[in-house]
Amino acid sequence: MALFERLLKAKQPKKEEEAPKEEPKQETISEQELHDKLKGFLYSDDIVSEYIHIFRNLYDANPEFAKVMEMFEEKEKQLNSINQGSEHFEQVTEPDDGPTSIEEASEESNKDYLMEILNERYGE
């Protein structure tokens, strides 16, 4: 009988779980702070003013949205740091010596590459 009672107790929820958890009181963000944050990754005041009410509703409805905004801001900082490091985009090698004039380019485009390959392999 003791085993049966233990199984019943294990099935019942613990008293700690029964108490409803209080949601943490979210901090409200001012319109200016929200505008500045949005401007950081939307870049345009027109776009920010168009979509600020959507972001305001997301902030008010979901307290976890602040973490999403932090993630956006962090990614924007990473992109800016990459853009500021110009060595990432510098050309390391010399450009190919391609055709220098339009006439040379048109002569190359008129070549029949299939015939050249066949002539190289099998002769004329």
Side-chain angles (χ1 to χ4, degrees), residues 27-40:
E27 298 177 21
T28 57
I29 186 168
S30 71
E31 287 295 317
Q32 185 61 38
E33 286 176 319
L34 183 59
H35 185 274
D36 293 341
K37 285 185 176 190
L38 291 176
K39 176 86 184 260

Side-chain angles (χ1 to χ4, degrees), residues 69-84:
M69 288 296 290
E70 289 174 10
M71 181 190 66
F72 283 154
E73 290 169 357
E74 184 62 33
K75 291 298 176 184
E76 184 63 27
K77 288 177 186 175
Q78 290 174 356
L79 287 173
N80 288 337
S81 68
I82 289 172
N83 287 337
Q84 288 173 355

Side-chain angles (χ1 to χ4, degrees), residues 4-66:
F4 184 69
E5 290 173 0
R6 279 195 245 162
L7 288 174
L8 285 176
K9 286 181 183 178
K11 209 173 190 183
Q12 295 174 350
K14 295 181 180 180
K15 292 180 181 179
E16 296 172 344
E17 293 176 6
E18 290 177 6
K21 294 182 180 178
E22 293 181 19
E23 292 185 18
K25 189 79 172 182
Q26 69 182 24
E27 298 177 21
T28 57
I29 186 168
S30 71
E31 287 295 317
Q32 185 61 38
E33 286 176 319
L34 183 59
H35 185 274
D36 293 341
K37 285 185 176 190
L38 291 176
K39 176 86 184 260
F41 59 89
L42 292 178
Y43 303 116
S44 168
D45 286 324
D46 296 335
I47 296 173
V48 170
S49 62
E50 186 176 338
Y51 293 108
I52 195 165
H53 69 279
I54 295 170
F55 285 93
R56 167 59 60 201
N57 290 339
L58 288 170
Y59 260 110
D60 293 342
N62 191 350
E64 299 295 318
F65 187 69

Side-chain angles (χ1 to χ4, degrees), residues 97-111:
D97 291 333
T100 56
S101 69
I102 296 174
E103 292 172 2
E104 289 179 19
S106 63
E107 287 176 15
E108 282 188 22
S109 63
N110 290 337
K111 291 182 181 178

